[in-house]
Amino acid sequence: MAKPAATGASVTGVPGEVHQDRYVGGQDLTRWDTTPGRLLASLARRASALIGSHGVLLLTLAVGAVLAVSLAAVFAEVYESVVEADGVAGLDHPVLDGAKTFRSPGLDVLITAYTDVGGTVGMPVLALVVMGALALKRRSWTPVILMLVAGLGSLLMTVAGKELVGRTRPDLADAVPPYEYSASFPSGHSLNSAVIAGIVAYLVILRLKSARARILTIVAAAVFAATMGLSRVYLGHHWLTDVLGAWALGAAWLALVITAHRLYLTTRVHPPVQA
């Protein structure tokens, strides 16, 4: 189905979300082709009659956050089994040893500065700036809700994973200062940067007209998340499997957040029939 032409009134606010965020490359995000998807959409439409579309979005994200923390707990069990069996974890020491061969004083300083962007100060500041810009441009609370909940969910998964696994980081002798002392799994930098970059890319893609621009946006987000994760291995602050696990958790959480937004759009475009 072709995307309808946007009118001047549909550029910002709720009308903009309905008319401009609905289609990505001709695909209707409010159309659900699978049976579980149609069931979710039906439940969301019924709930919106009681709590409104934003209420459905918040409720879905809250349920998703519980699922995300549960997923982190399950992933922790799988992760421990892999480590004990020396499966993928068998790559950890060789990869760290290989990363150390590339180190130099200048590169260490550069990568430390870069990884600080994904830290506990840099990433929230970056996210708040982007979130504010998107919210003001669109005159909508939806980017605020999505980014805040996406960030909160990734933080909960990081805390849960560290508490459940409690894995020790690489030896300080193998790390570049400043040193970090929290549990190693999952890599918070990797998880949070993947989630924030992913949700920003998603929000931006919703308003892009060309396939080339959408592809470039996806590539930019992927490169940012990938290099942030690999920088943690280079600095000796995390094992490779800490980063791989973080990426997997981040991708799962992103899928939940995007699904919640699609359900929100569905309730806007196809409101429940009033009796």
Side-chain angles (χ1 to χ4, degrees):
M1 181 184 295
K3 180 178 177 180
T7 64
S10 68
V11 173
T12 59
V14 171
E17 293 174 352
V18 171
H19 297 291
Q20 294 187 321
D21 293 354
R22 178 179 175 182
Y23 296 92
V24 176
Q27 180 180 353
D28 187 351
L29 297 182
T30 69
R31 177 178 176 179
W32 301 82
D33 295 325
T34 65
T35 300
R38 287 192 291 270
L39 176 60
L40 275 176
S42 176
L43 292 173
R45 291 176 64 194
R46 293 181 182 181
S48 70
L50 300 174
I51 60 177
S53 294
H54 274 110
V56 169
L57 176 61
L58 289 171
L59 177 62
T60 309
L61 289 171
V63 173
V66 174
L67 292 174
V69 174
S70 301
L71 177 63
V74 172
F75 199 93
E77 294 295 325
V78 175
Y79 177 84
E80 287 185 298
S81 298
V82 170
V83 171
E84 290 174 2
D86 202 31
V88 177
L91 294 173
D92 283 340
H93 288 282
V95 169
L96 178 58
D97 291 339
K100 289 163 59 179
T101 64
F102 291 98
R103 290 179 186 169
S104 68
L107 190 57
D108 291 353
V109 170
L110 181 63
I111 293 184
T112 297
Y114 178 69
T115 198
D116 285 344
V117 174
T120 55
V121 175
M123 185 53 66
V125 170
L126 180 63
L128 285 172
V129 170
V130 174
M131 179 180 69
L134 289 173
L136 288 173
K137 181 177 178 59
R138 301 184 185 196
R139 298 178 189 173
S140 168
W141 285 104
T142 302
V144 176
I145 294 172
L146 288 178
M147 291 192 65
L148 283 179
V149 176
L152 178 61
S154 67
L155 178 60
L156 290 174
M157 295 172 82
T158 300
V159 172
K162 288 182 182 294
E163 289 293 326
L164 290 168
V165 177
R167 190 186 191 193
T168 303
R169 292 176 184 262
D171 292 338
L172 295 184
D174 292 326
V176 175
Y179 304 119
E180 299 182 21
Y181 300 95
S182 62
S184 191
F185 177 87
S187 166
H189 283 67
S190 304
L191 177 52
N192 296 327
S193 63
V195 169
I196 296 302
I199 199 65
V200 169
Y202 171 71
L203 288 168
V204 170
I205 284 170
L206 290 175
R207 298 294 174 96
L208 294 178
K209 305 299 182 183
S210 73
R212 181 174 181 271
R214 291 192 293 269
I215 292 172
L216 289 175
T217 301
I218 293 171
V219 170
V223 168
F224 176 75
T227 52
M228 186 60 66
L230 294 177
S231 73
R232 308 301 291 161
V233 178
Y234 170 89
L235 295 172
H237 294 171
H238 284 284
W239 302 104
L240 175 65
T241 44
D242 300 332
V243 173
L244 295 177
W247 286 340
L249 289 171
W253 176 230
L254 268 176
L256 286 171
V257 174
I258 290 172
T259 298
H261 183 245
R262 287 188 60 193
L263 290 172
Y264 163 75
L265 289 175
T266 299
T267 63
R268 287 292 191 189
V269 175
H270 308 290
V273 177
Q274 301 294 331

